[in-house]
Each structure stands twice: as structure tokens, then as C-alpha cells.
Amino acid sequence: EEEEASRQIGVARPLLLSGVGVHHSGLQPVLRELSELLFSEGLLPLLVATETVAMGVNTPARTVLLTGGGSKFDGTRQRLMLPTEYTQMAGRAGRRGKDAFGACVLLAHEWCSAASGEAMLSRRHAPLQPSHRITASTALKMARIEGASVAALATSSFGAWLASQSRARDEERR
């Protein structure tokens, strides 16, 4: 493992010094974090990354370039990105307060049909479903934290917000 870390640092160092960052899940965490930090500070003009950089890391860019024709490997097979996946990655284009707009360039393949491309680029997202469940284990862990409140967690969750929206719609109908 130490040998792999050393090899990755040896490869990344000249890239970083020339303004190119690399970010993917197989990279040593310290190198991923360094690329994130340098890119978010504007010190790297180019970040070559997999979709992991678009998930949960706030690193907006002037331009996002998607290669692979909008396809991705999902762990078992190659498939077109879902509209939510495309939106998440393309949505990194445009830096708030710095750019008037952002650009997303999608390098399409000839095997991507117009219908498939339209489905991926559409805004027809599957409805979001809350997945957080407060278990007995969660409640016990929170009981040990000073100031933590299971009730506050439950009432501030996405599921609670959805339920309040549903109640508001029901009241409007009456």
C-alpha cells in the first residue's frame, strides 16, 4: 500500500505542478483532497475526474466536459447516465459570482440514439424518496450527545418536509 501511495504521488506531482489535478475513487485520499482544495481555490485550471467529484464535493467549474458519450459503468454494466446523474455533473458548470453562465460539453458517441440522448438530457427525474430512517441505534447514539435531539432530527428530515408539503396540499384542496 505504501508503494502504491508513493507511485501515485510520483505521478500526481508533475501534473499538479503543471496545473492539472486528478480525482477518482482509486486515488489516495490525500491526493484527492489536495486536488479538491487546489481546484476549489482556483489554483488548478483543469481537473480530470470521475463522477465522484460531482457527488458531495462543492467544486464548481467554468466548463464541464463529459466524455464517454454520457455512459457510465454502474458496477455491473455500461449504461447511459440517468437524468439525475447528468444534472448532478453538468450542474457543476458555472461558478457562482464568477461566471455569467457555465458550459457543459457532452462528447456523444454514434451509438447513442436521439431518443436515448433526449431521455438522459431531459429534466424528467424520478421523484426523490427519503431514505433516512431513525432507528433505535440512532436514538441511543444521539442520547449520548449533549444537545442532540431525536425529535429535532425527525422534524427536520426530508421525509418530514415532504409530509408537511403533502398536508399543505391537502388543506388547500379543502
Short mmCIF file of all heavy atoms in Angstrom, two decimals, residues 76-126:
data_model
loop_
_atom_site.label_atom_id
_atom_site.label_comp_id
_atom_site.label_asym_id
_atom_site.label_seq_id
_atom_site.Cartn_x
_atom_site.Cartn_y
_atom_site.Cartn_z
N THR A 76 -21.86 -3.13 -12.74
CA THR A 76 -22.12 -4.40 -13.43
C THR A 76 -22.10 -4.25 -14.94
O THR A 76 -21.75 -5.17 -15.64
CB THR A 76 -23.48 -5.01 -13.01
OG1 THR A 76 -24.50 -4.02 -13.16
CG2 THR A 76 -23.45 -5.51 -11.59
N ARG A 77 -22.52 -3.06 -15.43
CA ARG A 77 -22.57 -2.89 -16.89
C ARG A 77 -22.41 -1.42 -17.26
O ARG A 77 -22.56 -0.53 -16.42
CB ARG A 77 -23.88 -3.43 -17.44
CG ARG A 77 -25.10 -2.67 -16.96
CD ARG A 77 -26.42 -3.26 -17.46
NE ARG A 77 -27.53 -2.57 -16.87
CZ ARG A 77 -28.12 -1.49 -17.38
NH1 ARG A 77 -27.69 -0.98 -18.50
NH2 ARG A 77 -29.14 -0.92 -16.78
N GLN A 78 -22.15 -1.19 -18.54
CA GLN A 78 -22.07 0.15 -19.08
C GLN A 78 -23.49 0.57 -19.47
O GLN A 78 -24.21 -0.20 -20.10
CB GLN A 78 -21.16 0.14 -20.31
CG GLN A 78 -20.62 1.47 -20.71
CD GLN A 78 -19.52 1.99 -19.82
OE1 GLN A 78 -18.91 1.25 -19.07
NE2 GLN A 78 -19.28 3.28 -19.87
N ARG A 79 -23.92 1.76 -19.06
CA ARG A 79 -25.26 2.25 -19.39
C ARG A 79 -25.22 3.76 -19.51
O ARG A 79 -24.27 4.41 -19.08
CB ARG A 79 -26.25 1.83 -18.32
CG ARG A 79 -25.95 2.43 -16.96
CD ARG A 79 -27.14 2.30 -16.01
NE ARG A 79 -26.84 2.75 -14.68
CZ ARG A 79 -26.80 4.01 -14.29
NH1 ARG A 79 -27.03 4.98 -15.14
NH2 ARG A 79 -26.53 4.34 -13.04
N LEU A 80 -26.27 4.31 -20.11
CA LEU A 80 -26.37 5.77 -20.18
C LEU A 80 -26.64 6.32 -18.79
O LEU A 80 -27.30 5.68 -17.96
CB LEU A 80 -27.52 6.18 -21.10
CG LEU A 80 -27.22 6.22 -22.59
CD1 LEU A 80 -28.46 6.61 -23.37
CD2 LEU A 80 -26.08 7.16 -22.91
N MET A 81 -26.16 7.53 -18.55
CA MET A 81 -26.43 8.18 -17.28
C MET A 81 -27.92 8.46 -17.15
O MET A 81 -28.59 8.73 -18.15
CB MET A 81 -25.69 9.52 -17.20
CG MET A 81 -24.21 9.40 -16.98
SD MET A 81 -23.48 11.03 -16.71
CE MET A 81 -23.32 11.59 -18.39
N LEU A 82 -28.39 8.41 -15.94
CA LEU A 82 -29.76 8.82 -15.65
C LEU A 82 -29.82 10.34 -15.67
O LEU A 82 -28.80 11.02 -15.49
CB LEU A 82 -30.18 8.31 -14.26
CG LEU A 82 -30.15 6.80 -14.07
CD1 LEU A 82 -30.41 6.44 -12.61
CD2 LEU A 82 -31.16 6.14 -14.99
N PRO A 83 -31.01 10.91 -15.90
CA PRO A 83 -31.11 12.38 -15.91
C PRO A 83 -30.55 13.01 -14.63
O PRO A 83 -29.91 14.06 -14.69
CB PRO A 83 -32.61 12.63 -16.05
CG PRO A 83 -33.12 11.44 -16.78
CD PRO A 83 -32.28 10.29 -16.26
N THR A 84 -30.78 12.40 -13.49
CA THR A 84 -30.27 12.96 -12.23
C THR A 84 -28.74 12.94 -12.20
O THR A 84 -28.12 13.87 -11.70
CB THR A 84 -30.81 12.19 -11.01
OG1 THR A 84 -30.59 10.80 -11.20
CG2 THR A 84 -32.27 12.45 -10.79
N GLU A 85 -28.12 11.89 -12.73
CA GLU A 85 -26.66 11.80 -12.75
C GLU A 85 -26.08 12.86 -13.69
O GLU A 85 -25.10 13.53 -13.35
CB GLU A 85 -26.22 10.40 -13.19
CG GLU A 85 -26.59 9.33 -12.21
CD GLU A 85 -26.49 7.92 -12.77
OE1 GLU A 85 -26.65 7.72 -14.00
OE2 GLU A 85 -26.26 7.00 -11.95
N TYR A 86 -26.70 13.02 -14.86
CA TYR A 86 -26.25 14.04 -15.81
C TYR A 86 -26.37 15.43 -15.18
O TYR A 86 -25.44 16.24 -15.23
CB TYR A 86 -27.04 13.97 -17.12
CG TYR A 86 -26.72 15.13 -18.02
CD1 TYR A 86 -25.56 15.13 -18.78
CD2 TYR A 86 -27.56 16.23 -18.07
CE1 TYR A 86 -25.24 16.22 -19.58
CE2 TYR A 86 -27.25 17.32 -18.86
CZ TYR A 86 -26.10 17.31 -19.61
OH TYR A 86 -25.78 18.39 -20.38
N THR A 87 -27.53 15.71 -14.58
CA THR A 87 -27.77 17.03 -13.98
C THR A 87 -26.77 17.31 -12.87
O THR A 87 -26.26 18.43 -12.74
CB THR A 87 -29.21 17.11 -13.43
OG1 THR A 87 -30.11 16.90 -14.51
CG2 THR A 87 -29.49 18.46 -12.79
N GLN A 88 -26.45 16.30 -12.06
CA GLN A 88 -25.50 16.47 -10.96
C GLN A 88 -24.13 16.87 -11.50
O GLN A 88 -23.49 17.77 -10.97
CB GLN A 88 -25.40 15.17 -10.15
CG GLN A 88 -24.43 15.23 -8.99
CD GLN A 88 -24.89 16.11 -7.86
OE1 GLN A 88 -26.08 16.25 -7.62
NE2 GLN A 88 -23.97 16.71 -7.14
N MET A 89 -23.69 16.21 -12.57
CA MET A 89 -22.36 16.51 -13.10
C MET A 89 -22.36 17.79 -13.92
O MET A 89 -21.47 18.63 -13.76
CB MET A 89 -21.84 15.33 -13.91
CG MET A 89 -21.59 14.12 -13.01
SD MET A 89 -20.62 12.80 -13.69
CE MET A 89 -21.46 12.38 -15.15
N ALA A 90 -23.35 17.97 -14.79
CA ALA A 90 -23.41 19.18 -15.61
C ALA A 90 -23.65 20.42 -14.75
O ALA A 90 -23.21 21.52 -15.09
CB ALA A 90 -24.51 19.05 -16.66
N GLY A 91 -24.31 20.22 -13.63
CA GLY A 91 -24.61 21.32 -12.73
C GLY A 91 -23.40 21.93 -12.07
O GLY A 91 -23.49 22.99 -11.43
N ARG A 92 -22.25 21.33 -12.21
CA ARG A 92 -21.01 21.89 -11.68
C ARG A 92 -20.49 23.03 -12.55
O ARG A 92 -19.59 23.75 -12.17
CB ARG A 92 -19.92 20.82 -11.55
CG ARG A 92 -20.24 19.74 -10.56
CD ARG A 92 -20.31 20.32 -9.18
NE ARG A 92 -20.69 19.28 -8.23
CZ ARG A 92 -21.14 19.52 -7.04
NH1 ARG A 92 -21.28 20.75 -6.63
NH2 ARG A 92 -21.48 18.56 -6.24
N ALA A 93 -21.05 23.17 -13.76
CA ALA A 93 -20.60 24.21 -14.69
C ALA A 93 -21.16 25.56 -14.29
O ALA A 93 -22.36 25.71 -14.11
CB ALA A 93 -21.00 23.85 -16.11
N GLY A 94 -20.30 26.51 -14.15
CA GLY A 94 -20.70 27.87 -13.78
C GLY A 94 -20.40 28.13 -12.33
O GLY A 94 -20.98 27.50 -11.45
N ARG A 95 -19.47 29.03 -12.07
CA ARG A 95 -19.05 29.33 -10.71
C ARG A 95 -19.81 30.55 -10.21
O ARG A 95 -19.70 31.63 -10.78
CB ARG A 95 -17.54 29.57 -10.67
CG ARG A 95 -16.76 28.35 -11.14
CD ARG A 95 -15.32 28.65 -11.43
NE ARG A 95 -15.25 29.66 -12.50
CZ ARG A 95 -14.13 30.28 -12.85
NH1 ARG A 95 -13.01 30.02 -12.24
NH2 ARG A 95 -14.14 31.17 -13.82
N ARG A 96 -20.59 30.35 -9.15
CA ARG A 96 -21.41 31.43 -8.61
C ARG A 96 -20.54 32.64 -8.27
O ARG A 96 -19.52 32.53 -7.61
CB ARG A 96 -22.13 30.95 -7.35
CG ARG A 96 -23.04 32.01 -6.75
CD ARG A 96 -23.89 31.44 -5.66
NE ARG A 96 -24.88 30.56 -6.29
CZ ARG A 96 -25.35 29.47 -5.73
NH1 ARG A 96 -24.96 29.12 -4.53
NH2 ARG A 96 -26.23 28.72 -6.34
N GLY A 97 -20.96 33.80 -8.80
CA GLY A 97 -20.23 35.03 -8.53
C GLY A 97 -19.04 35.25 -9.44
O GLY A 97 -18.41 36.30 -9.39
N LYS A 98 -18.68 34.27 -10.27
CA LYS A 98 -17.52 34.43 -11.15
C LYS A 98 -17.89 34.32 -12.63
O LYS A 98 -17.28 34.98 -13.46
CB LYS A 98 -16.47 33.36 -10.84
CG LYS A 98 -15.81 33.52 -9.50
CD LYS A 98 -14.72 32.51 -9.31
CE LYS A 98 -14.04 32.70 -7.97
NZ LYS A 98 -12.95 31.75 -7.78
N ASP A 99 -18.84 33.47 -12.97
CA ASP A 99 -19.21 33.24 -14.36
C ASP A 99 -20.65 33.66 -14.61
O ASP A 99 -21.52 33.38 -13.79
CB ASP A 99 -19.06 31.75 -14.73
CG ASP A 99 -17.65 31.23 -14.51
OD1 ASP A 99 -16.70 31.96 -14.83
OD2 ASP A 99 -17.50 30.10 -14.02
N ALA A 100 -20.89 34.29 -15.75
CA ALA A 100 -22.26 34.64 -16.11
C ALA A 100 -23.06 33.39 -16.45
O ALA A 100 -24.27 33.33 -16.28
CB ALA A 100 -22.26 35.60 -17.30
N PHE A 101 -22.37 32.36 -16.94
CA PHE A 101 -23.01 31.08 -17.25
C PHE A 101 -21.95 30.00 -17.23
O PHE A 101 -20.76 30.27 -17.21
CB PHE A 101 -23.72 31.11 -18.62
CG PHE A 101 -22.77 31.21 -19.78
CD1 PHE A 101 -22.34 30.06 -20.43
CD2 PHE A 101 -22.31 32.44 -20.22
CE1 PHE A 101 -21.45 30.14 -21.49
CE2 PHE A 101 -21.43 32.53 -21.28
CZ PHE A 101 -20.99 31.38 -21.92
N GLY A 102 -22.39 28.77 -17.20
CA GLY A 102 -21.48 27.63 -17.26
C GLY A 102 -21.79 26.82 -18.50
O GLY A 102 -22.89 26.86 -19.03
N ALA A 103 -20.80 26.10 -18.97
CA ALA A 103 -20.98 25.28 -20.17
C ALA A 103 -20.72 23.82 -19.84
O ALA A 103 -19.82 23.50 -19.06
CB ALA A 103 -20.03 25.73 -21.27
N CYS A 104 -21.53 22.97 -20.42
CA CYS A 104 -21.32 21.53 -20.31
C CYS A 104 -21.19 20.97 -21.72
O CYS A 104 -22.08 21.18 -22.55
CB CYS A 104 -22.47 20.85 -19.57
SG CYS A 104 -22.24 19.07 -19.44
N VAL A 105 -20.08 20.31 -21.98
CA VAL A 105 -19.84 19.72 -23.29
C VAL A 105 -19.95 18.22 -23.14
O VAL A 105 -19.25 17.61 -22.32
CB VAL A 105 -18.44 20.10 -23.83
CG1 VAL A 105 -18.18 19.45 -25.18
CG2 VAL A 105 -18.30 21.62 -23.90
N LEU A 106 -20.84 17.62 -23.91
CA LEU A 106 -21.04 16.18 -23.88
C LEU A 106 -20.52 15.60 -25.19
O LEU A 106 -21.02 15.93 -26.26
CB LEU A 106 -22.53 15.85 -23.71
CG LEU A 106 -22.92 14.38 -23.80
CD1 LEU A 106 -22.28 13.57 -22.67
CD2 LEU A 106 -24.43 14.23 -23.75
N LEU A 107 -19.47 14.78 -25.09
CA LEU A 107 -18.92 14.14 -26.28
C LEU A 107 -19.72 12.87 -26.53
O LEU A 107 -19.52 11.85 -25.87
CB LEU A 107 -17.43 13.81 -26.09
CG LEU A 107 -16.53 15.01 -25.83
CD1 LEU A 107 -15.09 14.56 -25.63
CD2 LEU A 107 -16.62 16.02 -26.95
N ALA A 108 -20.66 12.95 -27.46
CA ALA A 108 -21.57 11.83 -27.73
C ALA A 108 -20.93 10.82 -28.67
O ALA A 108 -20.04 11.15 -29.45
CB ALA A 108 -22.87 12.35 -28.32
N HIS A 109 -21.40 9.59 -28.59
CA HIS A 109 -20.97 8.52 -29.48
C HIS A 109 -22.05 8.29 -30.53
O HIS A 109 -23.23 8.55 -30.28
CB HIS A 109 -20.76 7.21 -28.71
CG HIS A 109 -19.56 7.22 -27.83
ND1 HIS A 109 -18.29 7.30 -28.33
CD2 HIS A 109 -19.43 7.17 -26.49
CE1 HIS A 109 -17.42 7.29 -27.33
NE2 HIS A 109 -18.09 7.22 -26.20
N GLU A 110 -21.66 7.75 -31.65
CA GLU A 110 -22.64 7.48 -32.70
C GLU A 110 -23.66 6.43 -32.27
O GLU A 110 -24.76 6.38 -32.79
CB GLU A 110 -21.96 7.06 -34.03
CG GLU A 110 -21.19 5.76 -33.96
CD GLU A 110 -19.75 5.90 -33.50
OE1 GLU A 110 -19.30 6.99 -33.14
OE2 GLU A 110 -19.06 4.87 -33.46
N TRP A 111 -23.34 5.59 -31.29
CA TRP A 111 -24.28 4.55 -30.86
C TRP A 111 -25.36 5.10 -29.93
O TRP A 111 -26.31 4.42 -29.60
CB TRP A 111 -23.58 3.36 -30.21
CG TRP A 111 -22.71 3.72 -29.05
CD1 TRP A 111 -21.36 3.88 -29.07
CD2 TRP A 111 -23.10 3.96 -27.69
NE1 TRP A 111 -20.89 4.22 -27.83
CE2 TRP A 111 -21.94 4.27 -26.96
CE3 TRP A 111 -24.33 3.95 -27.05
CZ2 TRP A 111 -21.97 4.57 -25.62
CZ3 TRP A 111 -24.35 4.24 -25.69
CH2 TRP A 111 -23.18 4.55 -25.00
N CYS A 112 -25.22 6.34 -29.50
CA CYS A 112 -26.23 6.95 -28.62
C CYS A 112 -27.35 7.50 -29.51
O CYS A 112 -27.16 8.46 -30.24
CB CYS A 112 -25.61 8.06 -27.79
SG CYS A 112 -26.77 8.88 -26.69
N SER A 113 -28.52 6.89 -29.46
CA SER A 113 -29.64 7.33 -30.29
C SER A 113 -30.18 8.67 -29.81
O SER A 113 -29.95 9.06 -28.66
CB SER A 113 -30.76 6.29 -30.27
OG SER A 113 -31.38 6.29 -28.99
N ALA A 114 -30.90 9.34 -30.66
CA ALA A 114 -31.51 10.62 -30.30
C ALA A 114 -32.47 10.43 -29.12
O ALA A 114 -32.51 11.25 -28.20
CB ALA A 114 -32.24 11.21 -31.50
N ALA A 115 -33.22 9.34 -29.13
CA ALA A 115 -34.17 9.08 -28.04
C ALA A 115 -33.45 8.85 -26.71
O ALA A 115 -33.87 9.35 -25.67
CB ALA A 115 -35.05 7.88 -28.39
N SER A 116 -32.35 8.10 -26.76
CA SER A 116 -31.57 7.85 -25.54
C SER A 116 -30.96 9.14 -25.02
O SER A 116 -30.98 9.42 -23.82
CB SER A 116 -30.45 6.84 -25.80
OG SER A 116 -30.98 5.60 -26.14
N GLY A 117 -30.42 9.94 -25.93
CA GLY A 117 -29.84 11.22 -25.54
C GLY A 117 -30.87 12.15 -24.95
O GLY A 117 -30.63 12.81 -23.94
N GLU A 118 -32.05 12.19 -25.56
CA GLU A 118 -33.12 13.05 -25.05
C GLU A 118 -33.56 12.60 -23.66
O GLU A 118 -33.79 13.42 -22.78
CB GLU A 118 -34.32 13.02 -26.02
CG GLU A 118 -35.37 14.09 -25.75
CD GLU A 118 -36.36 13.72 -24.66
OE1 GLU A 118 -36.66 12.53 -24.48
OE2 GLU A 118 -36.84 14.64 -23.97
N ALA A 119 -33.62 11.30 -23.45
CA ALA A 119 -34.03 10.78 -22.14
C ALA A 119 -33.01 11.17 -21.07
O ALA A 119 -33.37 11.55 -19.96
CB ALA A 119 -34.18 9.26 -22.20
N MET A 120 -31.71 11.09 -21.42
CA MET A 120 -30.68 11.43 -20.46
C MET A 120 -30.66 12.93 -20.17
O MET A 120 -30.48 13.35 -19.03
CB MET A 120 -29.31 11.00 -20.98
CG MET A 120 -28.18 11.34 -20.03
SD MET A 120 -26.57 10.89 -20.65
CE MET A 120 -26.43 11.89 -22.10
N LEU A 121 -30.85 13.75 -21.20
CA LEU A 121 -30.76 15.19 -21.04
C LEU A 121 -32.05 15.83 -20.54
O LEU A 121 -32.08 17.01 -20.23
CB LEU A 121 -30.35 15.84 -22.37
CG LEU A 121 -28.99 15.41 -22.90
CD1 LEU A 121 -28.75 16.01 -24.27
CD2 LEU A 121 -27.88 15.78 -21.94
N SER A 122 -33.13 15.05 -20.47
CA SER A 122 -34.41 15.61 -20.04
C SER A 122 -34.36 15.96 -18.56
O SER A 122 -33.49 15.53 -17.82
CB SER A 122 -35.53 14.60 -20.28
OG SER A 122 -35.50 13.59 -19.28
N ARG A 123 -35.30 16.72 -18.16
CA ARG A 123 -35.43 17.07 -16.74
C ARG A 123 -36.43 16.15 -16.05
O ARG A 123 -36.91 16.47 -14.98
CB ARG A 123 -35.89 18.53 -16.61
CG ARG A 123 -34.88 19.51 -17.10
CD ARG A 123 -33.94 19.81 -16.01
NE ARG A 123 -32.97 20.80 -16.45
CZ ARG A 123 -32.03 21.23 -15.67
NH1 ARG A 123 -31.94 20.78 -14.46
NH2 ARG A 123 -31.17 22.10 -16.11
N ARG A 124 -36.75 15.04 -16.67
CA ARG A 124 -37.71 14.10 -16.07
C ARG A 124 -36.98 13.21 -15.07
O ARG A 124 -36.49 12.15 -15.40
CB ARG A 124 -38.39 13.27 -17.16
CG ARG A 124 -39.31 14.08 -18.03
CD ARG A 124 -40.09 13.21 -18.99
NE ARG A 124 -39.23 12.46 -19.89
CZ ARG A 124 -38.93 12.84 -21.12
NH1 ARG A 124 -39.40 13.96 -21.60
NH2 ARG A 124 -38.16 12.10 -21.88
N HIS A 125 -36.91 13.70 -13.88
CA HIS A 125 -36.22 12.97 -12.82
C HIS A 125 -37.22 12.11 -12.06
O HIS A 125 -38.37 12.48 -11.90
CB HIS A 125 -35.56 13.94 -11.83
CG HIS A 125 -34.58 14.86 -12.46
ND1 HIS A 125 -33.35 14.44 -12.90
CD2 HIS A 125 -34.64 16.17 -12.75
CE1 HIS A 125 -32.69 15.45 -13.41
NE2 HIS A 125 -33.45 16.52 -13.34
N ALA A 126 -36.73 11.00 -11.58
CA ALA A 126 -37.56 10.19 -10.69
C ALA A 126 -37.79 11.00 -9.41
O ALA A 126 -36.90 11.72 -8.97
CB ALA A 126 -36.84 8.87 -10.38
#
